[in-house]
């Protein structure tokens, strides 16, 4: 019988899976580009005075799509005739291409669970998705060269692959279940870094929103001066919404200390606005602080990085219950460095040039914002983590001492012989202390000791006189509360009274009619008596 084996490509092998991943990446790029193209063409159609035809609208859509990946554009139609760079990225636009690449990589690794198609490796899936996406991006860069907003080739070669590969890697990480590093310190540093970054950006957004609310009249005046027809109003409103994440990053950089630049000759910090700012008319820029020295309202923004550093250190300290102080400090410092790197990347994307001359620098400086984040984490986060760790260990120390406190084992008089070598009885199986003391001291005589005679009926603790040739009659046992009530009744070798909860020495403690007292109670650890020797067998004769 002949077995027919299908080719791996026919069955959908690894090569077909990689080809599918590459196609997924290209489709993700096409979807993002098409969405922006539809939006721009709709605005062009609704505009009563379009400046160019459909070709210009498509070139504008291609430029916006590249700008969303961090690629700087070059404006050629300026008043001076000199090309001017445009590097401020509307960060809300970045969410669309990043989510599409993330979903493509995630679906590529999840597709292996459906049917018999094998799943490619993680690195191969990321490379295939990113490769398919970058092929479409390269064609878009080439297409933008013939339009009014060509792409800067330097930033296109740096930022575009970095954004695509990072988003694809995040999608693969999601498909694998978002695993954390195996080392506990690295995982704790990543979690603390994420908490600090979210707190910093959230506080920056709140600070920017409060400032914009305080300058609402100036923002409304700038908005009214820019818009004309309803299509212009919608365009300006959409651009302002796309720049809202940039405001959060600007607010975070302002609270960190370095602030941001408003042109090459002006810097805004919590201490005040120094220099001559070059600010174009835009509604969001109305939230900038006024010129002059800062007041307590501006200084209050410093609470944002302080809270972020405290929460970051607290998260590390709560995870460092059993770590050493050195490991805790290094983990908090690693979280500070990771948060600083993330802030530096975001600051570089939120700012950039808006033209030549004085507008060549606009927004936060990336290396200053990143360095300030690291300093806040090192100066505040590390001591907080060590303090939280010390407080947690202080709270657990009494519990550990209570758990490790040894249970005292009573030493019973008269059981010295062989009792010290025996294992201690289990607390769950041992009798009450008074009963154990009574049994071992009263019923188990010490070696060579003679039990005292029973007390007389008079209760004086003295024996009755008798002749040397006759044995004395034992006194009747007393039952109840009268037993052992005399001054010499039931005394142990140490001379103290047992309390006599059951009556006399040989009385039945449980009112059992068949009770028989033992004059010797063998211990569990003593060897049993040897069996008697067998009688000799009778002889054969």
């Amino acid at each position: 019988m002949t077995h027919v084996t299908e080719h791996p490509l026919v069955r959908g092998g690894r090569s077909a899976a990689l080809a599918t991943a590459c196609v997924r990446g290209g489709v993700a790029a096409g979807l993002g580009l098409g969405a922006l193209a539809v939006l721009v063409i709709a605005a062009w159609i609704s505009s009563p005075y379009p400046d160019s035809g459909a070709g210009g609208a498509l070139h504008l859509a291609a430029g916006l799509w590249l700008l969303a990946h961090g690629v700087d554009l070059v404006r050629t139609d300026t008043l001076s005739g000199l090309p001017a760079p445009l590097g401020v990225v509307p960060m809300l636009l970045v969410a669309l291409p990043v989510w599409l690449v993330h979903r493509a990589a995630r679906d590529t690794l999840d597709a292996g669970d459906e049917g018999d198609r094998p799943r490619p490796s993680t690195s191969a899936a990321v490379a295939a998705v990113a490769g398919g996406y970058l092929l479409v991006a390269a064609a878009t860069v080439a297409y933008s060269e013939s339009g009014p907003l060509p792409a800067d080739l330097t930033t296109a070669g740096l930022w575009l692959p970095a954004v695509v590969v990072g988003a694809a890697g995040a999608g693969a990480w999601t498909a694998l279940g978002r695993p954390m590093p195996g080392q506990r310190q690295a995982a704790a540093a990543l979690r603390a870094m994420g908490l600090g970054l979210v707190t910093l950006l959230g506080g920056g957004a709140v600070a920017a929103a409060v400032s914009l609310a305080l300058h609402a009249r100036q923002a409304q005046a700038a908005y009214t001066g820019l818009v004309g027809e309803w299509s212009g109003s919608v365009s300006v409103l959409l651009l302002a919404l796309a720049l809202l994440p940039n405001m959060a990053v600007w607010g975070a950089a302002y609270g960190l200390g370095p602030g941001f630049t408003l042109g090459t000759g002006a810097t805004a910090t919590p201490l005040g606005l120094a220099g001559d700012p070059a600010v174009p008319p835009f509604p969001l820029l109305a939230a900038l602080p006024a010129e002059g020295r800062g007041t307590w309202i501006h200084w209050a923004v410093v609470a944002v990085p302080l809270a972020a550093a405290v929460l970051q250190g607290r998260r590390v300290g709560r995870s460092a219950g059993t770590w050493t102080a050195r490991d805790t400090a290094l983990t908090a410092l690693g979280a500070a460095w990771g948060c600083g790197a993330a802030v530096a990347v975001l600051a570089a994307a939120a700012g950039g040039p808006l033209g030549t001359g004085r507008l060549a620098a606009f927004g936060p400086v990336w290396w200053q914002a990143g360095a300030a984040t690291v300093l806040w984490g090192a100066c505040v986060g590390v001591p907080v983590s060590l303090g939280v760790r010390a407080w947690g260990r202080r709270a657990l120390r009494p519990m550990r001492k209570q758990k490790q406190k040894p249970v005292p084992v009573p030493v019973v008089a008269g059981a010295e012989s062989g009792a010290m070598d025996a294992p201690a009885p289990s607390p769950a199986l041992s009798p009450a202390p008074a009963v154990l003391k009574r049994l071992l001291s009263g019923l188990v005589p010490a070696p060579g000791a003679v039990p005292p005679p029973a007390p007389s009926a008079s209760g004086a603790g003295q024996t009755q006189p008798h002749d040397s040739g006759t044995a004395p009659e034992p006194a009747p046992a007393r039952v109840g509360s009268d037993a052992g009530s005399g001054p010499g009744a039931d005394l142990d070798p140490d001379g103290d009274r047992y309390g006599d909860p059951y009556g006399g020495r040989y009385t039945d403690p449980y009112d059992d009619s068949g009770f028989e007292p033992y004059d010797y109670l063998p211990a569990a650890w003593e060897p049993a008596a040897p069996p008697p020797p067998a009688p000799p067998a009778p002889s054969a004769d």
Side-chain angles (χ1 to χ4, degrees):
M1 183 176 179
T2 305
H3 295 277
V4 179
T5 304
E6 295 181 354
H7 195 271
L9 288 178
V10 178
R11 291 168 41 197
R14 192 174 301 275
S15 300
L18 293 178
T20 304
C22 186
V23 172
R24 287 178 183 271
V27 170
L31 288 176
L33 185 58
L36 284 178
V38 169
L39 185 63
V40 172
I41 289 177
W44 171 72
I45 292 174
S46 61
S47 177
Y49 308 105
D51 296 335
S52 58
L58 292 177
H59 279 92
L60 179 60
L64 288 177
W65 186 78
L66 293 174
L67 186 64
H69 294 79
V71 179
D72 291 351
L73 303 179
V74 180
R75 293 188 295 112
T76 57
D77 53 347
T78 59
L79 297 177
S80 61
L82 299 176
L86 177 61
V88 178
V89 180
M91 299 183 68
L92 192 60
L93 292 179
V94 182
L96 177 62
V98 165
W99 177 73
L100 290 172
V101 180
H102 177 277
R103 191 187 66 171
R106 182 199 63 193
D107 294 346
T108 298
L109 291 177
D110 287 343
D113 299 335
E114 302 175 359
D116 298 333
R117 177 175 297 178
R119 186 177 66 177
S121 61
T122 304
S123 58
V126 171
V129 171
Y133 196 97
L134 291 176
L135 287 177
V136 179
T140 307
V141 170
Y143 176 74
S144 67
E145 292 297 325
S146 59
L149 292 174
D152 181 58
L153 298 181
T154 302
T155 55
L158 293 177
W159 283 99
L160 188 57
V163 171
V164 173
V165 173
W173 180 60
T174 303
L176 296 178
R178 298 183 180 90
M180 299 299 291
Q183 191 177 6
R184 294 183 58 188
Q185 286 82 359
L190 288 177
R191 294 189 181 95
M193 181 200 75
L195 179 61
L197 184 61
V198 170
T199 306
L200 193 61
L201 295 179
V206 172
V210 171
S211 180
L212 187 61
L214 294 177
H215 300 83
R217 291 183 178 181
Q218 294 86 338
Q220 184 179 2
Y223 179 79
T224 306
L226 286 177
V227 301
E229 301 293 334
W230 69 272
S231 59
S233 302
V234 173
S235 301
V236 174
L237 182 60
L238 291 178
L239 182 58
L241 291 177
L243 289 172
L244 286 180
N246 297 59
M247 285 190 62
V249 178
W250 284 39
Y254 185 79
L256 285 169
F260 43 82
T261 60
L262 300 175
T264 56
T267 304
T269 63
L271 298 178
L273 178 60
D276 185 15
V279 181
F282 194 74
L284 295 183
L285 295 179
L288 296 176
E291 298 183 17
R293 301 182 61 179
T295 60
W296 66 270
I297 299 179
H298 304 90
W299 302 336
V301 187
V302 183
V304 173
L306 179 63
V310 168
L311 291 178
Q312 186 172 286
R314 180 175 177 270
R315 183 63 180 268
V316 174
R318 294 186 64 181
S319 302
T322 57
W323 302 349
T324 61
R326 179 176 178 274
D327 293 340
T328 304
L330 290 178
T331 303
L333 193 60
W337 276 99
C339 189
V343 169
V345 173
L346 293 175
L354 283 179
T356 58
R358 297 177 61 187
L359 291 177
F362 201 76
V365 182
W366 65 272
W367 65 269
Q368 293 180 1
T373 306
V374 174
L375 287 178
W376 276 99
C379 298
V380 178
V382 173
V384 168
S385 64
L386 293 176
V388 171
R389 169 188 171 273
W391 181 262
R393 294 170 68 91
R394 175 181 176 274
L396 292 176
R397 193 174 296 117
M399 298 179 62
R400 293 176 181 174
K401 288 184 177 180
Q402 184 178 3
K403 291 180 179 179
Q404 296 177 0
K405 184 178 180 180
V407 179
V409 180
V411 179
V412 182
E416 293 85 354
S417 178
M420 299 303 296
D421 299 333
S426 174
L429 300 178
S430 55
V435 178
L436 178 63
K437 191 173 182 181
R438 177 178 176 83
L439 290 176
L440 293 181
S441 297
L443 300 182
V444 182
V450 179
S456 62
S458 61
Q462 299 178 359
T463 58
Q464 298 290 337
H466 58 276
D467 298 334
S468 59
T470 62
E473 295 182 2
R478 292 177 296 172
V479 182
S481 58
D482 296 337
S485 59
D490 288 343
L491 295 178
D492 64 355
D494 297 333
D496 55 349
R497 188 180 301 275
Y498 297 135
D500 201 10
Y502 302 116
R505 181 185 301 273
Y506 297 104
T507 57
D508 174 20
Y510 303 104
D511 295 333
D512 188 4
S513 58
F515 173 76
E516 295 181 3
Y518 291 92
D519 58 350
Y520 179 75
L521 182 64
W525 56 83
E526 294 182 356
S539 59
D541 54 358

